Amino acid sequence: MLAAMLNSSILLISLPAIFAGLGLNPLAPENISYLLWMLMGYMLVTAVLVVTFGRLGDQYGRAKLFNLGFAIFTVGSIACALVPNTGSTGALELISLRVLQGIGGAMLTANSTAIITDAFPSDRRGFALGVNQVAGLAGSFFGLVIGGLLSEWNWRAVFWVSVPIGIWGTWTGYRRLHDKPRSTKVHQRIDWWGNITFGLGLIGVLVAITYGLQPYGKHNMGWSSPMVLTGMILGIALLVVFVIIENKVHDPMINLKLFKIRAFTAGNIVNFASAMARGGLQFILIIWLQGIWLPLHGYAFADAPLWAGIYMLPLTIGFLIAGPVSGALSDRFGARAFATGGLILTTLTFVGLMMIPADFNYVMFAALLALNGIGSGLLAAPNAAAIMNSVPSSQRGAASGVRATGMNAGMVLSMGGFFTLMAIGLASRLPSSMYAGLTALGVNSDAAQTISQTPPVGTLFAAFLGDNPITQLMGSVDPSQLRPGNGADVATLTGQSFFPHLISDAFHHGLVVAFSASIILLLIAIVASALRGKHFVNGDQGEDPDRPHHESTLEALAREGAAVDYPNTPEADTEYEKALASKGTTRA
């Protein structure tokens, strides 16, 4: 979790430096696809493969898949840092290697939650998954800050950060993390048709969304493109075929009967809806800070990525406060109260973010981010534990994969939805405000009209990358306007405040549209969470009946400590497990 979240957030905050290092122009229409694939390629690959790798982990060993995933992820990180080319060739190489990272990340993500679920009894899983979430948020925190610092030095350094973690994790995993012996009498079957239809169907839908965000012909976005429509229709059709196949085969990739379990279905609805509601939030906040608020408050565009990461820390701190506590308490009292309460709090923070102006008071902004983080922390571990507790032990890998697919697919859909709704909001107001602003500063009418017709997506990406596009746009339309004495106020046009002021009203309108959709999704998640039922643990948990339950944290740590006193030899594995499951703990 630390490595995966570090890798994700460090890329998000470092994209301006990566684009500059590769020599790519963020406003060029042909480069928008590179930005989208750098952002969403990893999530797309992970979303497609996690269920497959989770089921393979159930069948052939979760530790095997997990360790192999760590190795692939590490190799991908090293290769990203060593990309030999620049320009479009370098961008394609980097995107391909991000896909390789995504394959390793899918193996990690699919099996890590199942391994934790295996390792802890049902009344300790919420706490364990809470700690796991804290590791992820620590990665997010370090990624934002370290990414901002390293991108000031060299963009390749942001990929080297994951390498020490990857090497240590791979070495430790292969040395210490092993699957229990499995029966050779049971013939394992791979659901090939299920894997193929699910993978191709999800690829069709998610790739269509990615290309739908790009300009097509004279349209600001590509939703009317035949390729996008074909990909979406074929993808949905293949997913319908997948459902039919899964109800027919003997050993399905996803046992759809799991969805008859109320806690499992409700938990996954909450997981998917909340991921769709929140997946694009960090992206929008970075645009808000880097493109508008920081330049208006005297920060240079080049320094904005580092400071955007620092100013977003309240979001991480809020999660760190609530994550482990809510997980531990949900072990005792169930997930419903904590998850539902967290969703309600998150919904209120979205309302608050809609109400503050684009040039906000930071204290209010920081308070809303902290409360949003607390709301997310109240939801994450209890909901994950509820999903994993609801399934038989033999289905944990697949269940973890379903959960991860819902989260990653929800985030891709969220980013697509946020982009689309933001672009719609910008398109309704930005052209007129840009034309008025340019002509007021002396730009001739023809040049102002041409510049104001720039696709909103390009302007949105320029803001995200911390770039002031006015100089470049004017240079490409009428370079003479930038010469002193030609009537235009060049100093103001190319200064720090003109572009942020220009887009702030249109941006805020788009933000209200996008966040309104998020609130609707969160309300759906609240209803699903409230109807999930009381605390439920599946009867087939594969636990040792002699393992003590309802321990305090100190008691559990004491038992763990006694168990690891055994020497580090292969022969000691059995003794370790016996000690871990023993009743040697004294109760107060």
Side-chain angles (χ1 to χ4, degrees):
M1 282 296 291
L2 180 74
M5 293 303 295
L6 178 74
N7 177 70
S8 177
S9 64
I10 203 170
L11 183 85
L12 192 65
I13 208 72
S14 305
L15 273 173
I18 293 172
F19 257 60
L22 292 174
L24 295 172
N25 174 8
L27 283 175
E30 65 272 14
N31 291 338
I32 291 176
S33 62
Y34 297 143
L35 176 64
L36 285 169
W37 278 103
M38 285 181 195
L39 275 174
M40 301 167 69
Y42 180 92
M43 287 188 292
L44 190 151
V45 172
T46 305
V48 169
L49 293 177
V50 282
V51 177
T52 297
F53 289 146
R55 186 62 184 139
L56 290 174
D58 287 337
Q59 293 176 315
Y60 298 103
R62 291 163 191 154
K64 288 186 181 72
L65 270 292
F66 181 87
N67 294 335
L68 179 60
F70 233 138
I72 293 173
F73 178 86
T74 306
V75 170
S77 299
I78 295 171
C80 284
L82 298 175
V83 165
N85 294 299
T86 57
S88 58
T89 304
L92 290 171
E93 291 171 349
L94 191 58
I95 290 166
S96 299
L97 293 169
R98 287 281 293 164
V99 168
L100 178 65
Q101 275 189 313
I103 294 171
M107 292 181 178
L108 289 171
T109 305
N111 291 284
S112 61
T113 304
I115 289 171
I116 290 172
T117 306
D118 287 341
F120 286 83
S122 57
D123 61 346
R124 297 293 298 162
R125 282 180 196 143
F127 173 77
L129 291 169
V131 173
N132 186 246
Q133 297 289 339
V134 167
L137 261 292
S140 230
F141 163 76
F142 288 125
L144 291 173
V145 177
I146 295 172
L149 288 170
L150 291 180
S151 61
E152 297 282 323
W153 173 47
N154 190 304
W155 69 269
R156 296 178 186 273
V158 303
F159 293 105
W160 285 113
V161 173
S162 301
V163 173
I165 301 171
I167 292 173
W168 177 84
T170 303
W171 177 77
T172 304
Y174 275 112
R175 182 169 172 260
R176 298 295 303 271
L177 188 62
H178 306 289
D179 293 299
K180 291 181 179 180
R182 292 172 177 265
S183 173
T184 57
K185 296 180 181 178
V186 179
H187 179 64
Q188 303 289 356
R189 298 178 182 177
I190 297 177
D191 176 15
W192 291 109
W193 286 112
N195 279 276
I196 291 169
T197 52
F198 180 80
L200 291 178
L202 204 54
I203 286 172
V205 171
L206 298 182
V207 170
I209 289 170
T210 303
Y211 282 102
L213 301 177
Q214 302 176 42
Y216 170 70
K218 296 182 179 180
H219 301 281
N220 289 327
M221 306 195 81
W223 294 112
S224 58
S225 163
M227 184 185 77
V228 170
L229 293 173
T230 302
M232 188 70 71
I233 293 169
L234 286 178
I236 293 172
L238 283 170
L239 291 175
V240 171
V241 173
F242 164 76
V243 172
I244 296 171
I245 290 172
E246 296 306 277
N247 281 309
K248 301 286 186 182
V249 298
H250 180 265
D251 197 5
M253 171 183 160
I254 299 176
N255 184 355
L256 296 180
K257 292 180 181 178
L258 292 176
F259 287 95
K260 293 181 178 180
I261 302 172
R262 181 177 175 183
F264 181 80
T265 301
N268 278 291
I269 291 173
V270 169
N271 183 53
F272 181 67
S274 62
M276 281 193 66
R278 296 189 70 257
L281 174 64
Q282 196 174 50
F283 184 81
I284 297 300
L285 294 178
I286 288 176
I287 293 176
W288 198 348
L289 288 168
Q290 291 186 183
I292 299 175
W293 194 84
L294 288 169
L296 288 178
H297 288 260
Y299 293 88
F301 280 99
D303 298 329
L306 171 61
W307 287 103
I310 293 172
Y311 277 114
M312 284 175 61
L313 289 181
L315 185 68
T316 303
I317 293 169
F319 194 105
L320 291 174
I321 291 171
V325 175
S326 66
L329 292 175
S330 71
D331 288 329
R332 300 274 183 160
F333 305 108
R336 181 165 57 181
F338 299 99
T340 308
L343 288 165
I344 292 171
L345 181 58
T346 302
T347 305
L348 293 175
T349 62
F350 272 91
V351 174
L353 288 168
M354 288 168 54
M355 295 177 67
I356 63 175
D359 187 11
F360 49 78
N361 176 285
Y362 180 70
V363 174
M364 177 64 71
F365 182 76
L368 288 170
L369 290 192
L371 290 172
N372 188 282
I374 290 172
S376 300
L378 289 171
L379 166 68
N383 195 61
I387 292 172
M388 299 306 293
N389 281 338
S390 68
V391 300
S393 59
S394 61
Q395 296 290 323
R396 284 175 186 160
S400 176
V402 171
R403 173 182 164 272
T405 292
M407 184 175 295
N408 286 310
M411 291 181 71
V412 174
L413 291 169
S414 175
M415 291 185 73
F418 270 48
F419 264 124
T420 301
L421 294 173
M422 288 293 295
I424 291 170
L426 286 170
S428 66
R429 298 196 179 191
L430 185 59
S432 58
S433 62
M434 185 173 285
Y435 178 83
L438 291 171
T439 53
L441 291 175
V443 177
N444 68 54
S445 179
D446 290 340
Q449 180 65 28
T450 302
I451 292 171
S452 68
Q453 297 306 310
T454 301
V457 174
T459 308
L460 205 60
F461 284 153
F464 171 65
L465 294 172
D467 186 51
N468 184 352
I470 298 299
T471 302
Q472 182 184 326
L473 287 170
M474 290 185 62
S476 63
V477 173
D478 188 355
S480 64
Q481 296 280 298
L482 294 173
R483 295 171 192 156
N486 280 359
D489 186 349
V490 178
T492 302
L493 284 169
T494 59
Q496 283 196 190
S497 61
F498 175 71
F499 177 64
H501 275 304
L502 192 68
I503 68 169
S504 60
D505 179 64
F507 172 84
H508 191 265
H509 177 67
L511 180 143
V512 169
V513 173
F515 281 8
S516 297
S518 291
I519 289 170
I520 292 171
L521 288 165
L522 286 168
L523 291 174
I524 293 171
I526 288 169
V527 172
S529 182
L531 296 177
R532 74 171 72 230
K534 296 181 179 180
H535 186 42
F536 172 74
V537 178
N538 193 287
D540 178 18
Q541 288 291 298
E543 294 178 10
D544 187 333
D546 292 329
R547 173 176 282 180
H549 286 249
H550 302 299
E551 301 169 296
S552 71
T553 302
L554 291 176
E555 289 172 335
L557 290 173
R559 183 165 50 79
E560 289 273 359
V564 298
D565 282 341
Y566 286 93
N568 182 23
T569 62
E571 294 79 12
D573 285 348
T574 303
E575 296 304 319
Y576 171 79
E577 290 182 4
K578 287 180 179 178
L580 197 60
S582 70
K583 290 184 177 180
T585 305
T586 303
R587 309 252 182 120

